[in-house]
């Protein structure tokens, strides 16, 4: 392991970008499969066997997505042992901002990160990876030194809770990482991102087509969104096809063998997808990170939420190599290879 690390850190793949902190926050309210079965025609056995999900958390009274995202970011900043005034950039990956003009600036002000610029980025369940890569461009260019990347979503706002085909899958949550262009311990090895808008109809949270009269002879479109619509089988097929391809490509590009991966960290959408991808690379189940059982699919939050859990319970150790892939609406998908260099 150490020899392999030296090989990588001495090589041309040195991005100079380190992962130095992570954090997460989830709503208090837990909704079990059994409880959902009281609302729609479903049951724990069906949900667990098809998805691996046992329960999910939903933002309720006295909670907000911005609060969760702020707490996740704060936890990451505390782990990194940063003064908040030294943060240069905050990116909030979300499809469910509290304000369509952007929720990241509110998080910036909640944190007291007065020297940071902040913006939202939307790429659905791939959002965290897209935001991670975006932040890495600023860091690699030398224009900034410290960035916080947050993935946070409140899909419970947009799920049709009477549609058993979708409502059982999703939950709310937030996760964050602290990234630094320190140069001494390079973390991010490489990445790749992809989109295919031609298949976007498989998974939508689209606006309603309601037009209202504005003035004589003119209408305007009402700002309103429809609940999440999904063709589950198509999304499933897309994930089990494209994730192994993109992961295989970056492993090959950086000449890393799958047996050298310490952890497979995939977007937590469905346990069967995780298992299928792992088996394509002969990665044993002990190396496949999963917390679907407790949170379901929290969209942009799943990857940093899972990372934080595994770092804080000491499964992931400093120097571990993580192969990561996110996928979802757009359609969009991506992969990244990185070392964890946080203090745990
Ligand atoms: N409880 C009980 N039965 C359910 C159900 C539920 N929650 N949801 C669907 N069913 C029923 C269907 O009505 C269907 O019944 P029928 O055969 O009588 O018509 C049967 O179960 C099979 O439905 P199907 O949609 O074919 O199931 P599936 O094996 O494809 O599993 C998903 C459905 C959604 C779990 C699966 O397609 C999936 O995980 N897709 C990926 C979704 C995803 O990850 N989206 C987010 C990506 S970021």
């Amino acid at each position: 392991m150490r020899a392999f690390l030296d090989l990588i850190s001495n090589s041309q793949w040195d991005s100079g970008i380190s992962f130095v902190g992570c954090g997460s926050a989830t709503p208090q309210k837990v909704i079990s499969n059994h409880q959902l079965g009281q609302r729609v025609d479903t049951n724990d056995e069906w949900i667990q066997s098809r998805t691996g999900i046992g329960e999910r958390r939903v933002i309720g009274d006295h909670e907000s997505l911005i609060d969760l995202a702020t707490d996740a970011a704060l936890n990451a900043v505390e782990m990194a042992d940063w003064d908040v005034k030294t943060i240069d950039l905050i990116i909030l990956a979300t499809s469910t901002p509290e304000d369509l003009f952007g929720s990241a600036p509110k998080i910036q002000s909640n944190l007291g990160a007065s020297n940071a610029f902040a913006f939202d980025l939307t790429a659905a369940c791939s959002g965290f990876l897209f935001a991670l890569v975006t932040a890495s461009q600023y860091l690699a260019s030398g224009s900034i030194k410290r960035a916080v990347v947050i993935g946070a979503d409140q899909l419970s706002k947009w799920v049709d809770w009477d549609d058993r085909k979708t409502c059982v899958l999703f939950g709310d949550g937030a996760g964050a990482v602290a990234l630094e262009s320190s140069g001494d311990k390079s973390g991010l090895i490489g990445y790749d991102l992809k989109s295919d808008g031609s298949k976007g109809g498989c998974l939508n949270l689209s606006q309603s087509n309601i037009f209202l009269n504005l003035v004589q002879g003119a209408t305007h479109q009402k700002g309103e969104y429809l609940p999440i619509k999904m063709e589950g089988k198509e999304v499933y097929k897309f994930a089990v096809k494209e994730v192994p391809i993109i992961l295989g490509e970056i492993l090959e590009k950086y000449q890393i063998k799958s047996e050298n991966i310490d952890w497979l960290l995939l977007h937590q959408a469905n346990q069967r997808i995780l298992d299928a991808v792992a088996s394509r690379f002969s990665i044993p189940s002990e190396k496949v990170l999963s917390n679907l059982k407790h949170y379901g699919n929290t969209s942009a939050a799943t990857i940093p939420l899972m990372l934080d859990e595994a770092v804080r319970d000491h499964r992931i150790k400093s120097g571990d190599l993580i192969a990561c892939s996110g996928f979802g609406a757009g359609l969009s998908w991506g992969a990244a290879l990185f070392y964890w260099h946080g203090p745990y």
Side-chain angles (χ1 to χ4, degrees):
M1 175 68 197
R2 180 48 56 190
F4 184 68
L5 276 181
D6 292 344
L7 170 72
I8 293 294
S9 59
N10 293 334
S11 75
Q12 59 186 342
W13 309 319
D14 193 339
S15 68
I17 298 167
S18 299
F19 289 72
V20 293
C22 59
S24 63
T26 54
Q28 286 184 351
K29 195 72 195 164
V30 178
I31 309 288
S32 68
N33 290 344
H34 177 68
Q35 285 172 297
L36 275 189
Q38 293 164 359
R39 177 158 178 146
V40 289
D41 183 12
T42 191
N43 56 74
D44 182 57
E45 199 281 327
W46 192 97
I47 303 171
Q48 295 253 21
S49 62
R50 303 280 176 132
T51 70
I53 298 167
E55 60 192 26
R56 71 285 299 143
R57 289 173 179 238
V58 170
I59 291 175
D61 296 351
H62 314 299
E63 289 179 318
S64 78
L65 188 72
I66 285 180
D67 288 345
L68 291 185
T70 302
D71 287 349
L74 199 57
N75 292 338
V77 169
E78 282 173 1
M79 188 189 282
D81 199 21
W82 288 353
D83 176 345
V84 287
K85 298 280 189 286
T86 65
I87 302 169
D88 301 307
L89 167 65
I90 297 167
I91 305 181
L92 171 66
T94 189
S95 304
T96 55
E98 291 183 13
D99 184 331
L100 278 181
F101 288 157
S103 289
K106 181 74 180 135
I107 297 165
Q108 178 253 9
S109 104
N110 286 351
L111 288 173
S114 51
N115 294 312
F117 64 104
F119 60 90
D120 291 16
L121 181 152
T122 300
C125 297
S126 312
F128 175 77
L129 264 186
F130 277 58
L132 176 71
V133 171
T134 303
S136 78
Q137 307 306 304
Y138 286 96
L139 291 161
S141 75
S143 61
I144 65 163
K145 291 220 170 317
R146 288 181 166 177
V148 175
V149 176
I150 307 164
D153 263 312
Q154 185 180 0
L155 287 186
S156 65
K157 272 204 282 199
W158 300 105
V159 161
D160 176 353
W161 287 104
D162 294 315
D163 174 10
R164 70 176 182 173
K165 291 189 172 182
T166 52
C167 76
V168 299
L169 302 175
F170 300 106
D172 302 334
V177 293
L179 300 172
E180 190 165 55
S181 62
S182 60
D184 56 338
K185 281 184 189 165
S186 185
L188 184 62
I189 298 169
Y191 54 83
D192 196 11
L193 302 176
K194 291 190 188 290
S195 306
D196 182 0
S198 72
K199 298 201 177 104
C202 294
L203 183 51
N204 296 109
L205 202 177
S206 55
Q207 63 177 349
S208 59
N209 280 320
I210 298 173
F211 286 85
L212 302 174
N213 283 328
L214 174 60
V215 291
Q216 182 86 31
T219 58
H220 77 96
Q221 190 166 11
K222 185 167 162 46
E224 199 173 87
Y225 289 85
L226 297 170
I228 293 170
K229 190 166 66 63
M230 183 182 73
E231 291 172 33
K233 276 198 194 310
E234 291 308 309
V235 176
Y236 186 90
K237 281 192 273 182
F238 146 71
V240 297
K241 175 173 175 250
E242 297 296 348
V243 173
I245 292 175
I246 198 166
L247 266 177
E249 284 172 354
I250 58 165
L251 287 171
E252 192 179 333
K253 182 172 178 187
Y254 295 100
Q255 295 166 30
I256 292 174
K257 293 195 169 73
S258 56
E259 57 261 37
N260 291 120
I261 296 169
D262 293 305
W263 300 104
L264 183 63
L265 172 50
L266 301 182
H267 167 52
Q268 308 278 299
N270 182 318
Q271 188 62 42
R272 288 189 296 151
I273 296 175
L274 270 56
D275 295 342
V277 175
S279 90
R280 291 285 287 275
F281 294 97
S282 304
I283 296 175
S285 58
E286 315 86 77
K287 291 184 170 188
V288 182
L289 294 168
S290 173
N291 61 7
L292 269 162
K293 196 170 175 51
H294 298 297
Y295 301 108
N297 179 347
T298 56
S299 190
T302 65
I303 290 172
L305 181 61
M306 183 66 253
L307 177 74
D308 187 49
E309 181 181 312
V311 164
R312 286 179 195 269
D313 70 16
H314 304 286
R315 268 177 289 171
I316 295 179
K317 295 180 180 59
S318 188
D320 279 358
L321 173 60
I322 298 168
C324 185
S325 180
F327 54 89
L331 295 176
S332 59
W333 64 107
L337 293 169
F338 64 89
Y339 291 107
W340 168 253
H341 278 137
Y344 278 56

